Short mmCIF file of all heavy atoms in Angstrom, two decimals:
data_model
loop_
_atom_site.label_atom_id
_atom_site.label_comp_id
_atom_site.label_asym_id
_atom_site.label_seq_id
_atom_site.Cartn_x
_atom_site.Cartn_y
_atom_site.Cartn_z
N MET A 1 12.73 39.78 13.55
CA MET A 1 13.91 39.08 14.04
C MET A 1 14.78 40.21 14.60
O MET A 1 14.97 41.30 14.09
CB MET A 1 14.64 38.47 12.82
CG MET A 1 16.02 38.08 13.06
SD MET A 1 16.84 37.41 11.55
CE MET A 1 15.55 36.88 10.54
N ALA A 2 15.44 39.95 15.74
CA ALA A 2 16.32 40.86 16.38
C ALA A 2 17.54 40.14 16.95
O ALA A 2 17.52 39.01 17.34
CB ALA A 2 15.63 41.56 17.55
N ALA A 3 18.67 40.79 16.81
CA ALA A 3 19.93 40.30 17.32
C ALA A 3 20.66 41.43 18.04
O ALA A 3 20.58 42.59 17.72
CB ALA A 3 20.79 39.73 16.17
N GLY A 4 21.43 41.06 19.09
CA GLY A 4 22.19 42.06 19.82
C GLY A 4 23.33 41.39 20.49
O GLY A 4 23.38 40.15 20.66
N THR A 5 24.30 42.16 20.98
CA THR A 5 25.42 41.64 21.72
C THR A 5 25.12 41.55 23.20
O THR A 5 24.36 42.36 23.77
CB THR A 5 26.68 42.46 21.46
OG1 THR A 5 26.47 43.79 21.88
CG2 THR A 5 27.12 42.44 20.06
N SER A 6 25.67 40.57 23.86
CA SER A 6 25.53 40.44 25.30
C SER A 6 26.85 40.31 26.04
O SER A 6 26.90 39.95 27.18
CB SER A 6 24.56 39.30 25.64
OG SER A 6 25.19 38.05 25.29
N GLY A 7 27.94 40.55 25.27
CA GLY A 7 29.24 40.48 25.89
C GLY A 7 30.03 39.28 25.39
O GLY A 7 29.45 38.42 24.79
N ALA A 8 31.37 39.20 25.60
CA ALA A 8 32.20 38.12 25.15
C ALA A 8 32.58 37.23 26.35
O ALA A 8 32.71 37.70 27.46
CB ALA A 8 33.48 38.67 24.54
N LYS A 9 32.59 35.91 26.13
CA LYS A 9 32.92 34.99 27.17
C LYS A 9 34.10 34.06 26.78
O LYS A 9 35.08 33.98 27.45
CB LYS A 9 31.72 34.11 27.51
CG LYS A 9 30.65 34.84 28.25
CD LYS A 9 29.47 33.97 28.65
CE LYS A 9 28.42 34.77 29.32
NZ LYS A 9 27.19 33.96 29.62
N ALA A 10 34.01 33.34 25.63
CA ALA A 10 35.04 32.52 25.20
C ALA A 10 35.98 33.21 24.21
O ALA A 10 35.51 34.06 23.43
CB ALA A 10 34.44 31.26 24.53
N PRO A 11 37.29 32.93 24.22
CA PRO A 11 38.22 33.54 23.32
C PRO A 11 37.81 33.20 21.86
O PRO A 11 37.50 32.09 21.51
CB PRO A 11 39.57 32.96 23.66
CG PRO A 11 39.41 32.30 24.95
CD PRO A 11 37.98 31.99 25.15
N GLY A 12 37.82 34.27 20.99
CA GLY A 12 37.42 34.06 19.63
C GLY A 12 35.93 33.96 19.40
O GLY A 12 35.51 33.78 18.28
N LYS A 13 35.19 34.11 20.43
CA LYS A 13 33.70 34.01 20.37
C LYS A 13 33.11 35.28 20.90
O LYS A 13 33.71 35.98 21.72
CB LYS A 13 33.19 32.82 21.15
CG LYS A 13 33.66 31.46 20.71
CD LYS A 13 32.80 30.92 19.65
CE LYS A 13 33.08 29.50 19.36
NZ LYS A 13 32.07 28.89 18.48
N ILE A 14 31.92 35.53 20.47
CA ILE A 14 31.10 36.67 20.97
C ILE A 14 29.76 36.13 21.32
O ILE A 14 29.26 35.30 20.60
CB ILE A 14 31.08 37.86 20.00
CG1 ILE A 14 30.39 39.04 20.64
CG2 ILE A 14 30.45 37.51 18.71
CD1 ILE A 14 30.52 40.32 19.83
N GLU A 15 29.20 36.59 22.44
CA GLU A 15 27.88 36.17 22.83
C GLU A 15 26.88 37.24 22.30
O GLU A 15 27.05 38.43 22.45
CB GLU A 15 27.78 36.18 24.32
CG GLU A 15 28.76 35.31 25.05
CD GLU A 15 28.61 33.85 24.72
OE1 GLU A 15 27.41 33.38 24.71
OE2 GLU A 15 29.57 33.15 24.39
N ILE A 16 25.88 36.70 21.56
CA ILE A 16 24.82 37.55 21.05
C ILE A 16 23.46 36.93 21.46
O ILE A 16 23.43 35.75 21.89
CB ILE A 16 24.90 37.75 19.51
CG1 ILE A 16 24.66 36.43 18.79
CG2 ILE A 16 26.26 38.33 19.14
CD1 ILE A 16 24.59 36.59 17.25
N VAL A 17 22.43 37.76 21.38
CA VAL A 17 21.10 37.26 21.62
C VAL A 17 20.35 37.35 20.27
O VAL A 17 20.25 38.40 19.62
CB VAL A 17 20.35 38.13 22.69
CG1 VAL A 17 18.96 37.68 22.90
CG2 VAL A 17 21.20 38.13 23.97
N ILE A 18 19.80 36.17 19.87
CA ILE A 18 19.01 36.08 18.67
C ILE A 18 17.61 35.70 19.01
O ILE A 18 17.33 34.63 19.51
CB ILE A 18 19.65 34.94 17.72
CG1 ILE A 18 21.12 35.31 17.40
CG2 ILE A 18 18.82 34.88 16.45
CD1 ILE A 18 21.82 34.14 16.70
N ASN A 19 16.72 36.66 18.71
CA ASN A 19 15.29 36.49 19.00
C ASN A 19 15.11 36.02 20.44
O ASN A 19 14.33 35.11 20.74
CB ASN A 19 14.69 35.44 18.06
CG ASN A 19 14.69 35.94 16.64
OD1 ASN A 19 14.60 37.15 16.43
ND2 ASN A 19 14.65 35.06 15.72
N GLY A 20 15.91 36.63 21.37
CA GLY A 20 15.68 36.36 22.78
C GLY A 20 16.48 35.12 23.31
O GLY A 20 16.47 34.87 24.49
N VAL A 21 17.23 34.48 22.47
CA VAL A 21 17.99 33.29 22.85
C VAL A 21 19.54 33.57 22.76
O VAL A 21 19.98 34.05 21.71
CB VAL A 21 17.66 32.09 22.01
CG1 VAL A 21 18.48 30.90 22.35
CG2 VAL A 21 16.18 31.81 22.03
N GLU A 22 20.29 33.36 23.82
CA GLU A 22 21.72 33.64 23.75
C GLU A 22 22.42 32.56 22.92
O GLU A 22 22.05 31.40 22.90
CB GLU A 22 22.34 33.55 25.19
CG GLU A 22 21.83 34.75 26.04
CD GLU A 22 22.74 34.98 27.27
OE1 GLU A 22 23.85 34.44 27.29
OE2 GLU A 22 22.25 35.69 28.14
N ALA A 23 23.43 33.08 22.17
CA ALA A 23 24.19 32.23 21.31
C ALA A 23 25.66 32.68 21.30
O ALA A 23 25.93 33.87 21.47
CB ALA A 23 23.61 32.24 19.83
N SER A 24 26.57 31.76 21.18
CA SER A 24 27.95 32.03 21.09
C SER A 24 28.42 31.83 19.64
O SER A 24 28.27 30.72 19.06
CB SER A 24 28.74 31.07 22.01
OG SER A 24 30.17 31.39 21.93
N VAL A 25 28.92 32.89 19.04
CA VAL A 25 29.33 32.82 17.58
C VAL A 25 30.76 33.27 17.41
O VAL A 25 31.24 34.03 18.21
CB VAL A 25 28.38 33.67 16.71
CG1 VAL A 25 26.89 33.17 16.88
CG2 VAL A 25 28.45 35.11 17.07
N PRO A 26 31.40 32.75 16.38
CA PRO A 26 32.82 33.14 16.18
C PRO A 26 32.91 34.68 15.93
O PRO A 26 32.11 35.24 15.16
CB PRO A 26 33.26 32.38 14.87
CG PRO A 26 32.25 31.28 14.76
CD PRO A 26 30.99 31.77 15.37
N ARG A 27 33.91 35.32 16.56
CA ARG A 27 34.09 36.73 16.32
C ARG A 27 34.47 36.97 14.88
O ARG A 27 35.24 36.23 14.31
CB ARG A 27 35.25 37.25 17.27
CG ARG A 27 35.48 38.73 17.15
CD ARG A 27 36.54 39.16 18.21
NE ARG A 27 36.10 38.87 19.57
CZ ARG A 27 35.34 39.71 20.29
NH1 ARG A 27 34.91 40.84 19.75
NH2 ARG A 27 34.98 39.42 21.51
N GLY A 28 33.90 37.95 14.25
CA GLY A 28 34.31 38.37 12.93
C GLY A 28 33.40 37.73 11.80
O GLY A 28 33.53 38.07 10.66
N VAL A 29 32.58 36.80 12.20
CA VAL A 29 31.72 36.14 11.17
C VAL A 29 30.59 37.14 10.87
O VAL A 29 30.12 37.94 11.66
CB VAL A 29 31.13 34.80 11.75
CG1 VAL A 29 30.06 35.05 12.81
CG2 VAL A 29 30.54 34.00 10.64
N TYR A 30 30.15 37.13 9.60
CA TYR A 30 28.99 37.92 9.22
C TYR A 30 27.72 37.49 10.03
O TYR A 30 27.58 36.34 10.31
CB TYR A 30 28.71 37.84 7.71
CG TYR A 30 29.73 38.57 6.91
CD1 TYR A 30 30.67 37.88 6.12
CD2 TYR A 30 29.78 39.97 6.88
CE1 TYR A 30 31.59 38.51 5.30
CE2 TYR A 30 30.72 40.66 6.06
CZ TYR A 30 31.62 39.90 5.34
OH TYR A 30 32.53 40.60 4.57
N LEU A 31 26.95 38.50 10.34
CA LEU A 31 25.70 38.27 11.11
C LEU A 31 24.85 37.23 10.34
O LEU A 31 24.21 36.35 11.03
CB LEU A 31 24.91 39.54 11.29
CG LEU A 31 23.65 39.51 12.16
CD1 LEU A 31 24.01 38.84 13.50
CD2 LEU A 31 23.07 40.81 12.31
N LEU A 32 24.77 37.32 9.06
CA LEU A 32 24.04 36.34 8.25
C LEU A 32 24.42 34.90 8.61
O LEU A 32 23.61 33.98 8.82
CB LEU A 32 24.20 36.60 6.76
CG LEU A 32 23.52 35.60 5.86
CD1 LEU A 32 22.03 35.57 6.00
CD2 LEU A 32 23.87 35.84 4.41
N GLN A 33 25.71 34.61 8.61
CA GLN A 33 26.20 33.32 8.92
C GLN A 33 25.90 32.93 10.34
O GLN A 33 25.53 31.75 10.61
CB GLN A 33 27.71 33.21 8.68
CG GLN A 33 28.22 31.76 8.63
CD GLN A 33 27.54 30.87 7.60
OE1 GLN A 33 27.50 31.27 6.48
NE2 GLN A 33 27.05 29.78 8.03
N ALA A 34 26.09 33.87 11.26
CA ALA A 34 25.74 33.54 12.63
C ALA A 34 24.27 33.21 12.87
O ALA A 34 23.99 32.27 13.59
CB ALA A 34 26.12 34.78 13.51
N LEU A 35 23.43 33.93 12.13
CA LEU A 35 22.01 33.61 12.27
C LEU A 35 21.66 32.26 11.67
O LEU A 35 21.00 31.41 12.27
CB LEU A 35 21.19 34.67 11.53
CG LEU A 35 21.25 36.06 12.20
CD1 LEU A 35 20.58 37.07 11.30
CD2 LEU A 35 20.51 36.05 13.53
N ARG A 36 22.23 31.97 10.51
CA ARG A 36 22.02 30.68 9.86
C ARG A 36 22.53 29.54 10.68
O ARG A 36 21.95 28.50 10.78
CB ARG A 36 22.57 30.72 8.45
CG ARG A 36 21.71 31.54 7.54
CD ARG A 36 22.23 31.59 6.17
NE ARG A 36 21.29 32.15 5.22
CZ ARG A 36 21.55 32.40 3.91
NH1 ARG A 36 22.69 32.03 3.41
NH2 ARG A 36 20.57 32.98 3.19
N ASP A 37 23.77 29.69 11.24
CA ASP A 37 24.37 28.72 12.11
C ASP A 37 23.52 28.37 13.29
O ASP A 37 23.63 27.29 13.92
CB ASP A 37 25.74 29.09 12.53
CG ASP A 37 26.74 29.06 11.39
OD1 ASP A 37 26.44 28.52 10.35
OD2 ASP A 37 27.87 29.66 11.57
N ASN A 38 22.66 29.33 13.70
CA ASN A 38 21.74 29.12 14.84
C ASN A 38 20.34 28.92 14.44
O ASN A 38 19.42 29.11 15.26
CB ASN A 38 21.89 30.33 15.80
CG ASN A 38 23.21 30.34 16.54
OD1 ASN A 38 23.31 29.59 17.57
ND2 ASN A 38 24.22 31.00 16.09
N GLY A 39 20.13 28.40 13.24
CA GLY A 39 18.82 27.92 12.81
C GLY A 39 17.84 29.04 12.34
O GLY A 39 16.66 28.69 12.23
N VAL A 40 18.30 30.25 12.17
CA VAL A 40 17.44 31.31 11.71
C VAL A 40 17.58 31.34 10.15
O VAL A 40 18.63 31.55 9.62
CB VAL A 40 17.79 32.63 12.31
CG1 VAL A 40 16.87 33.73 11.81
CG2 VAL A 40 17.71 32.58 13.82
N ALA A 41 16.44 31.30 9.50
CA ALA A 41 16.37 31.35 8.07
C ALA A 41 16.27 32.80 7.61
O ALA A 41 15.35 33.49 8.00
CB ALA A 41 15.15 30.58 7.55
N VAL A 42 17.29 33.26 6.92
CA VAL A 42 17.34 34.66 6.46
C VAL A 42 17.37 34.57 4.87
O VAL A 42 18.27 34.04 4.32
CB VAL A 42 18.55 35.37 6.96
CG1 VAL A 42 18.55 36.82 6.45
CG2 VAL A 42 18.66 35.32 8.49
N PRO A 43 16.37 35.15 4.25
CA PRO A 43 16.35 35.22 2.79
C PRO A 43 17.47 36.14 2.28
O PRO A 43 17.82 37.15 2.90
CB PRO A 43 15.00 35.71 2.47
CG PRO A 43 14.59 36.52 3.64
CD PRO A 43 15.19 35.97 4.86
N THR A 44 18.04 35.73 1.21
CA THR A 44 19.02 36.58 0.48
C THR A 44 18.80 36.55 -1.01
O THR A 44 18.15 35.62 -1.55
CB THR A 44 20.48 36.05 0.77
OG1 THR A 44 20.55 34.72 0.32
CG2 THR A 44 20.81 36.13 2.20
N LEU A 45 19.34 37.58 -1.65
CA LEU A 45 19.21 37.63 -3.12
C LEU A 45 20.62 37.87 -3.72
O LEU A 45 21.07 37.17 -4.55
CB LEU A 45 18.24 38.66 -3.56
CG LEU A 45 17.90 38.80 -5.03
CD1 LEU A 45 17.27 37.50 -5.50
CD2 LEU A 45 16.94 39.92 -5.33
N CYS A 46 21.25 38.96 -3.25
CA CYS A 46 22.56 39.25 -3.83
C CYS A 46 23.73 38.56 -3.16
O CYS A 46 24.84 38.60 -3.66
CB CYS A 46 22.76 40.77 -3.81
SG CYS A 46 22.92 41.50 -2.14
N HIS A 47 23.50 37.90 -2.01
CA HIS A 47 24.56 37.23 -1.34
C HIS A 47 24.92 35.88 -2.06
O HIS A 47 24.07 35.14 -2.39
CB HIS A 47 24.16 36.93 0.11
CG HIS A 47 25.18 36.09 0.86
ND1 HIS A 47 26.31 36.66 1.33
CD2 HIS A 47 25.17 34.78 1.19
CE1 HIS A 47 26.99 35.67 1.91
NE2 HIS A 47 26.34 34.55 1.86
N HIS A 48 26.21 35.73 -2.24
CA HIS A 48 26.76 34.45 -2.81
C HIS A 48 28.07 34.21 -2.18
O HIS A 48 28.93 35.11 -2.11
CB HIS A 48 26.86 34.57 -4.37
CG HIS A 48 27.15 33.22 -4.99
ND1 HIS A 48 28.46 32.74 -5.06
CD2 HIS A 48 26.35 32.30 -5.51
CE1 HIS A 48 28.40 31.52 -5.64
NE2 HIS A 48 27.14 31.28 -5.95
N LYS A 49 28.34 32.95 -1.86
CA LYS A 49 29.61 32.65 -1.09
C LYS A 49 30.85 32.95 -1.94
O LYS A 49 31.93 33.14 -1.33
CB LYS A 49 29.61 31.17 -0.73
CG LYS A 49 29.62 30.18 -1.83
CD LYS A 49 29.67 28.76 -1.35
CE LYS A 49 29.62 27.75 -2.45
NZ LYS A 49 30.69 27.83 -3.42
N ASP A 50 30.77 33.03 -3.26
CA ASP A 50 31.97 33.26 -4.05
C ASP A 50 32.14 34.75 -4.44
O ASP A 50 33.04 35.08 -5.17
CB ASP A 50 31.89 32.44 -5.32
CG ASP A 50 32.02 30.94 -5.00
OD1 ASP A 50 32.66 30.55 -4.01
OD2 ASP A 50 31.45 30.11 -5.72
N LEU A 51 31.22 35.62 -3.97
CA LEU A 51 31.28 36.99 -4.28
C LEU A 51 31.57 37.88 -3.01
O LEU A 51 31.31 37.44 -1.95
CB LEU A 51 29.96 37.48 -4.90
CG LEU A 51 29.52 36.77 -6.20
CD1 LEU A 51 28.12 37.27 -6.57
CD2 LEU A 51 30.54 37.01 -7.29
N THR A 52 32.16 39.05 -3.26
CA THR A 52 32.34 40.00 -2.18
C THR A 52 31.00 40.53 -1.77
O THR A 52 30.22 40.94 -2.62
CB THR A 52 33.24 41.12 -2.59
OG1 THR A 52 34.50 40.60 -3.10
CG2 THR A 52 33.49 42.13 -1.49
N PRO A 53 30.68 40.60 -0.43
CA PRO A 53 29.37 41.08 0.00
C PRO A 53 29.19 42.55 -0.45
O PRO A 53 30.04 43.38 -0.30
CB PRO A 53 29.43 41.07 1.54
CG PRO A 53 30.50 40.00 1.78
CD PRO A 53 31.51 40.07 0.68
N SER A 54 28.04 42.81 -1.05
CA SER A 54 27.74 44.13 -1.53
C SER A 54 26.64 44.83 -0.81
O SER A 54 26.50 46.05 -0.73
CB SER A 54 27.48 44.12 -3.03
OG SER A 54 26.34 43.29 -3.31
N GLY A 55 25.65 44.02 -0.33
CA GLY A 55 24.51 44.56 0.46
C GLY A 55 23.56 45.46 -0.39
O GLY A 55 22.98 46.44 0.10
N VAL A 56 23.33 45.05 -1.62
CA VAL A 56 22.54 45.91 -2.53
C VAL A 56 21.02 45.57 -2.48
O VAL A 56 20.20 46.43 -2.73
CB VAL A 56 23.03 45.96 -3.91
CG1 VAL A 56 24.42 46.55 -3.99
CG2 VAL A 56 23.07 44.57 -4.54
N CYS A 57 20.66 44.34 -2.26
CA CYS A 57 19.19 43.97 -2.41
C CYS A 57 18.45 44.26 -1.14
O CYS A 57 17.22 44.43 -1.28
CB CYS A 57 19.13 42.50 -2.86
SG CYS A 57 19.29 41.30 -1.50
N ARG A 58 19.03 44.33 -0.02
CA ARG A 58 18.42 44.65 1.28
C ARG A 58 17.45 43.54 1.76
O ARG A 58 16.71 43.76 2.70
CB ARG A 58 17.70 45.97 1.25
CG ARG A 58 18.42 47.11 0.57
CD ARG A 58 19.75 47.41 1.15
NE ARG A 58 19.71 48.20 2.32
CZ ARG A 58 20.76 48.63 2.99
NH1 ARG A 58 22.01 48.30 2.49
NH2 ARG A 58 20.66 49.34 4.06
N LEU A 59 17.44 42.41 1.09
CA LEU A 59 16.49 41.33 1.43
C LEU A 59 16.88 40.74 2.85
O LEU A 59 15.93 40.27 3.50
CB LEU A 59 16.52 40.23 0.38
CG LEU A 59 15.38 39.27 0.41
CD1 LEU A 59 14.05 39.90 0.33
CD2 LEU A 59 15.52 38.21 -0.69
N CYS A 60 18.12 40.82 3.22
CA CYS A 60 18.54 40.14 4.48
C CYS A 60 18.58 41.03 5.69
O CYS A 60 19.18 40.76 6.66
CB CYS A 60 19.91 39.61 4.23
SG CYS A 60 21.20 40.88 4.01
N VAL A 61 17.88 42.19 5.59
CA VAL A 61 17.88 43.19 6.68
C VAL A 61 17.29 42.62 7.92
O VAL A 61 16.28 41.96 7.98
CB VAL A 61 17.11 44.46 6.26
CG1 VAL A 61 16.83 45.35 7.44
CG2 VAL A 61 17.87 45.28 5.24
N VAL A 62 18.04 42.86 9.07
CA VAL A 62 17.57 42.42 10.41
C VAL A 62 17.69 43.59 11.30
O VAL A 62 18.42 44.55 11.11
CB VAL A 62 18.42 41.22 10.94
CG1 VAL A 62 18.20 40.00 10.03
CG2 VAL A 62 19.85 41.58 11.05
N GLU A 63 16.99 43.53 12.48
CA GLU A 63 17.12 44.55 13.51
C GLU A 63 18.18 44.13 14.49
O GLU A 63 18.21 43.03 14.99
CB GLU A 63 15.74 44.70 14.21
CG GLU A 63 15.73 45.80 15.27
CD GLU A 63 14.48 45.92 15.99
OE1 GLU A 63 14.16 44.97 16.75
OE2 GLU A 63 13.78 46.88 15.81
N VAL A 64 19.09 45.12 14.78
CA VAL A 64 20.14 44.87 15.78
C VAL A 64 20.03 45.86 16.91
O VAL A 64 19.83 47.04 16.65
CB VAL A 64 21.57 44.98 15.07
CG1 VAL A 64 22.65 44.95 16.12
CG2 VAL A 64 21.72 43.90 14.04
N GLU A 65 20.12 45.40 18.14
CA GLU A 65 20.13 46.27 19.30
C GLU A 65 21.51 46.21 19.94
O GLU A 65 21.96 45.10 20.23
CB GLU A 65 19.05 45.87 20.27
CG GLU A 65 19.01 46.81 21.48
CD GLU A 65 17.91 46.48 22.45
OE1 GLU A 65 16.91 45.86 22.06
OE2 GLU A 65 18.08 46.86 23.60
N GLU A 66 22.14 47.34 20.11
CA GLU A 66 23.47 47.35 20.68
C GLU A 66 23.54 48.62 21.60
O GLU A 66 23.31 49.70 21.04
CB GLU A 66 24.49 47.32 19.68
CG GLU A 66 25.90 47.09 20.19
CD GLU A 66 26.94 46.83 19.11
OE1 GLU A 66 26.67 47.31 17.94
OE2 GLU A 66 27.96 46.16 19.42
N GLY A 67 23.88 48.50 22.80
CA GLY A 67 23.98 49.64 23.71
C GLY A 67 22.65 50.40 23.81
O GLY A 67 22.65 51.59 24.02
N GLY A 68 21.58 49.66 23.80
CA GLY A 68 20.24 50.26 23.97
C GLY A 68 19.75 50.95 22.74
O GLY A 68 18.71 51.63 22.70
N ARG A 69 20.51 50.88 21.63
CA ARG A 69 20.11 51.55 20.40
C ARG A 69 19.70 50.47 19.33
O ARG A 69 20.45 49.54 19.14
CB ARG A 69 21.27 52.37 19.89
CG ARG A 69 20.97 53.29 18.75
CD ARG A 69 22.09 54.25 18.45
NE ARG A 69 22.01 54.54 17.07
CZ ARG A 69 22.96 54.34 16.13
NH1 ARG A 69 24.08 53.80 16.51
NH2 ARG A 69 22.80 54.65 14.87
N ARG A 70 18.62 50.68 18.65
CA ARG A 70 18.17 49.71 17.64
C ARG A 70 18.44 50.33 16.21
O ARG A 70 18.21 51.50 16.05
CB ARG A 70 16.75 49.37 17.82
CG ARG A 70 16.45 48.63 19.04
CD ARG A 70 14.97 48.26 19.20
NE ARG A 70 14.83 47.47 20.39
CZ ARG A 70 13.87 46.56 20.54
NH1 ARG A 70 13.07 46.35 19.46
NH2 ARG A 70 13.76 45.90 21.63
N ARG A 71 18.83 49.47 15.35
CA ARG A 71 19.02 49.88 13.93
C ARG A 71 18.80 48.68 13.05
O ARG A 71 18.96 47.54 13.43
CB ARG A 71 20.36 50.52 13.73
CG ARG A 71 21.51 49.59 14.07
CD ARG A 71 22.81 50.39 14.16
NE ARG A 71 23.83 49.54 14.71
CZ ARG A 71 24.81 48.96 14.03
NH1 ARG A 71 24.91 49.15 12.76
NH2 ARG A 71 25.71 48.22 14.60
N MET A 72 18.45 48.97 11.75
CA MET A 72 18.31 47.97 10.77
C MET A 72 19.64 47.85 10.02
O MET A 72 20.18 48.86 9.57
CB MET A 72 17.15 48.30 9.80
CG MET A 72 15.84 48.55 10.59
SD MET A 72 15.28 47.14 11.61
CE MET A 72 14.70 46.09 10.28
N VAL A 73 20.15 46.60 9.86
CA VAL A 73 21.41 46.37 9.08
C VAL A 73 21.21 45.23 8.10
O VAL A 73 20.35 44.34 8.32
CB VAL A 73 22.54 46.08 10.08
CG1 VAL A 73 22.75 47.11 11.10
CG2 VAL A 73 22.32 44.70 10.82
N THR A 74 22.03 45.23 7.06
CA THR A 74 22.03 44.11 6.15
C THR A 74 22.88 43.01 6.86
O THR A 74 24.06 43.27 7.13
CB THR A 74 22.58 44.48 4.76
OG1 THR A 74 23.82 45.08 4.95
CG2 THR A 74 21.63 45.37 4.03
N SER A 75 22.34 41.87 7.07
CA SER A 75 23.11 40.82 7.80
C SER A 75 24.21 40.23 6.99
O SER A 75 25.17 39.62 7.52
CB SER A 75 22.13 39.68 8.24
OG SER A 75 21.52 39.09 7.17
N CYS A 76 24.18 40.42 5.69
CA CYS A 76 25.22 39.76 4.84
C CYS A 76 26.52 40.63 4.78
O CYS A 76 27.50 40.18 4.28
CB CYS A 76 24.74 39.56 3.42
SG CYS A 76 24.42 41.05 2.42
N THR A 77 26.41 41.88 5.27
CA THR A 77 27.59 42.72 5.16
C THR A 77 28.15 43.12 6.55
O THR A 77 29.03 43.84 6.76
CB THR A 77 27.29 44.10 4.47
OG1 THR A 77 26.25 44.71 5.12
CG2 THR A 77 26.91 43.78 3.02
S1 FES B 101 21.53 39.50 0.58
FE1 FES B 101 21.35 41.28 -0.52
S2 FES B 101 21.78 42.81 0.89
FE2 FES B 101 22.13 40.98 1.99
#
C-alpha cells in the first residue's frame, strides 16, 4: 500500500494518491482515517478512538511517498 500527496485543490482538503488512485481528504485527518474513508482496510492493534495515538504496535505501517522520497510511517499517528 502506498500513499502520497499530489497537491491541494479544495479549501480544507488535501489531494493524495492512495494505491495509484487520487483522493480528496480533510486536511489534518490521520492517514489511517483517510485510508479507511477511501475503502482501504488497514489493520490496527493499539489504535482506539478513545485513546491518544501512540504508534507502538506498528501494525498500521504504510509506505508514503512525498517529494520523491519514500518512507514507512504509522498511519495512526
Ligand atoms: S495501530 Fe498500532 S501503531 Fe498504528
Side-chain angles (χ1 to χ4, degrees):
M1 164 185 341
T5 58
S6 65
K9 289 183 181 173
K13 297 272 192 173
I14 184 169
E15 301 297 315
I16 67 173
V17 179
I18 303 170
N19 294 334
V21 178
E22 289 196 20
S24 181
V25 301
R27 184 176 297 277
V29 72
Y30 286 109
L31 185 54
L32 174 64
Q33 191 61 51
L35 292 170
R36 287 181 170 175
D37 288 349
N38 284 279
V40 179
V42 180
T44 58
L45 186 61
C46 66
H47 174 76
H48 189 278
K49 65 179 178 59
D50 294 331
L51 301 175
T52 302
S54 59
V56 296
C57 79
R58 318 302 280 182
L59 193 59
C60 66
V61 166
V62 296
E63 181 181 68
V64 171
E65 181 178 337
E66 191 170 25
R69 188 173 155 240
R70 292 179 178 213
R71 58 194 170 102
M72 304 303 284
V73 301
T74 52
S75 61
C76 72
T77 59

